[in-house]
Amino acid sequence: MTGSALPQLLRPGALRPGDLVVIASLSGPLHAVYERDLEQAVVVLERMGFRVRRAPLLEAGRHHWWSAAAPAEIAGEFNALLRDPEVRAIIAHDGGQTVLGYLDLIDVEAIAADPKPILGYSDISLLHLVLYARTGLVGFHADLATPGLGGHWQTAPALRQAELATLYGKLLTGTEAIGALPATPSWECWRPGLAEGRLIGGVINRIVLAQATRFALPLDWFDGAVLFWEEMGGHASHVWSYLQVLRHCGILDRISGMVVGIPREIGGLDSSDASPTLPEIVLDVLGDRDIPVLGNVEFGHAGPNLPMPVGIRVALDAQQRSLSLLEPAVRSLVATGPAG
């Protein structure tokens, strides 16, 4: 794609009952201890009405350094799934540290010819951001298979599991806007206000990394956007630094709203006089920018995840603790070409 005009959205085709969903190692390896979690993820997807297959690289014990395989090998398998007409959706088994190694090897022509939902978060944030930048593809920042569907979902109350299964099913198969995402008492208004715009984001360190590559989103694409982000690990000072990078590159001057996920395992976040809270960090960097901020929303590493489709228009009312998806993430299979 060339130029900085907002892209025409490339919505994946809606899934139908019996469609094939493939779980793939798009980054990290499968450790044998998590084999049962992966099996549980298959059960969740089958209960949603889909057929499920594991990609060949998703084999316990297979690894290359910290990855499931060498980047070129992962890219080869990913491209084969993108080109296979039987495969209707791809969900990452886990995150990791590998996607940067094959961003330049992805068959974007195959994505344009047959766009499919790609689900995952953490390292998979890079895929969503870069494929949105290169093709306009709506990416599904949603639960990973093994730690998500087979992990966090299994420890959630039964009513929450059912609510999420219904939500994911509607998002993947329906061509009507979802509307308001189901809020919980954890949601907090960190700065009141209203915003409406395209949803862009992911894990914050991957947003920063994506913008450092030649596949970065043009700054104009952040005009009026609702930026969502979360973080796991590291230290509070790292989060502050990532937000400062977004300030320096101009993103914070362009967005209309911000949604922050529940932090996980971040050192230096507490309410003591010596350490800031996450709201204090966010508002410190935002300064006097009049941007509504909704915090502690369930997406990212804290899980289980509410799906956040990259590129879809949303409405944010921080004071009312409301986030609504204003358009569908998938398109009817009878439609031809990208749907904007």
Side-chain angles (χ1 to χ4, degrees), residues 244-287:
Q244 294 288 3
V245 172
L246 300 184
R247 179 179 70 85
H248 285 304
C249 71
I251 289 175
L252 297 187
D253 292 320
R254 294 174 178 269
I255 62 174
S256 65
M258 181 182 290
V259 184
V260 183
I262 299 172
R264 184 177 180 192
E265 299 176 14
I266 298 176
L269 283 182
D270 58 47
S271 57
S272 70
D273 291 339
S275 301
T277 64
L278 190 56
E280 287 174 332
I281 289 174
V282 171
L283 297 179
D284 176 71
V285 180
L286 285 180

Side-chain angles (χ1 to χ4, degrees), residues 159-233:
L159 286 177
R160 185 63 168 174
Q161 291 186 47
E163 184 176 51
L164 288 170
T166 299
L167 178 61
Y168 275 59
K170 286 182 178 179
L171 196 69
L172 291 169
T173 65
T175 55
E176 300 293 328
I178 292 291
L181 292 175
T184 70
S186 77
W187 293 23
E188 297 175 348
C189 174
W190 293 354
R191 176 174 282 166
L194 305 172
E196 184 176 317
R198 288 194 175 184
L199 192 62
I200 300 177
V203 63
I204 193 169
N205 65 73
R206 293 308 194 263
I207 300 173
V208 170
L209 287 173
Q211 292 306 107
T213 72
R214 62 187 172 97
F215 305 117
L217 274 71
L219 282 181
D220 289 357
W221 290 19
F222 289 95
D223 287 345
V226 174
L227 179 71
F228 75 95
W229 62 270
E230 56 97 14
E231 181 65 312
M232 178 204 172

Side-chain angles (χ1 to χ4, degrees), residues 26 46 71 96 106 195 207 239 249 267 330:
L26 301 181
E46 288 178 340
I106 299 171
I207 300 173
V239 176
C249 71
V330 294

Side-chain angles (χ1 to χ4, degrees), residues 46-337:
E46 288 178 340
R47 285 176 177 167
M48 290 182 188
F50 307 125
R51 291 183 295 126
V52 184
R53 188 172 75 203
R54 292 166 54 163
L57 291 179
L58 187 53
E59 179 183 345
R62 177 195 291 270
H63 70 92
H64 172 75
W65 296 348
W66 47 80
S67 306
E73 191 174 4
I74 293 177
E77 181 168 277
F78 184 38
N79 288 334
L81 296 174
L82 295 173
R83 297 167 187 150
D84 186 343
E86 185 185 10
V87 176
R88 302 317 313 152
I90 303 166
I91 178 169
H93 133 70
D94 203 353
Q97 300 288 338
T98 312
V99 174
L100 273 171
Y102 65 87
L103 289 177
D104 54 338
L105 303 178
I106 299 171
D107 186 350
V108 293
E109 287 78 14
I111 290 172
D114 183 15
K116 306 169 183 183
I118 299 169
L119 286 75
Y121 65 87
S122 194
D123 200 30
I124 311 306
S125 295
L126 281 165
L127 287 180
H128 300 323
L129 292 167
V130 169
L131 296 180
Y132 177 56
R134 299 185 71 184
T135 70
L137 181 70
V138 174
F140 291 74
H141 186 281
D143 263 312
L144 297 156
T146 304
L149 303 183
H152 291 304
W153 280 45
Q154 305 305 312
T155 60
L159 286 177
R160 185 63 168 174
Q161 291 186 47
E163 184 176 51
L164 288 170
T166 299
L167 178 61
Y168 275 59
K170 286 182 178 179
L171 196 69
L172 291 169
T173 65
T175 55
E176 300 293 328
I178 292 291
L181 292 175
T184 70
S186 77
W187 293 23
E188 297 175 348
C189 174
W190 293 354
R191 176 174 282 166
L194 305 172
E196 184 176 317
R198 288 194 175 184
L199 192 62
I200 300 177
V203 63
I204 193 169
N205 65 73
R206 293 308 194 263
I207 300 173
V208 170
L209 287 173
Q211 292 306 107
T213 72
R214 62 187 172 97
F215 305 117
L217 274 71
L219 282 181
D220 289 357
W221 290 19
F222 289 95
D223 287 345
V226 174
L227 179 71
F228 75 95
W229 62 270
E230 56 97 14
E231 181 65 312
M232 178 204 172
H235 193 269
S237 62
H238 301 167
V239 176
W240 182 85
S241 297
Y242 295 138
L243 287 168
Q244 294 288 3
V245 172
L246 300 184
R247 179 179 70 85
H248 285 304
C249 71
I251 289 175
L252 297 187
D253 292 320
R254 294 174 178 269
I255 62 174
S256 65
M258 181 182 290
V259 184
V260 183
I262 299 172
R264 184 177 180 192
E265 299 176 14
I266 298 176
L269 283 182
D270 58 47
S271 57
S272 70
D273 291 339
S275 301
T277 64
L278 190 56
E280 287 174 332
I281 289 174
V282 171
L283 297 179
D284 176 71
V285 180
L286 285 180
D288 60 2
R289 295 172 180 83
D290 187 19
I291 296 171
V293 184
L294 181 65
N296 274 347
V297 178
E298 296 94 339
F299 61 87
H301 289 82
N305 270 249
L306 292 173
M308 306 289 277
V310 173
I312 294 300
R313 289 190 65 82
V314 299
L316 168 65
D317 185 334
Q319 186 163 6
Q320 295 300 316
R321 297 185 303 167
S322 172
L323 181 66
S324 300
L325 307 186
L326 299 180
E327 53 188 356
V330 294
R331 60 179 172 85
S332 170
L333 291 174
V334 299
T336 59

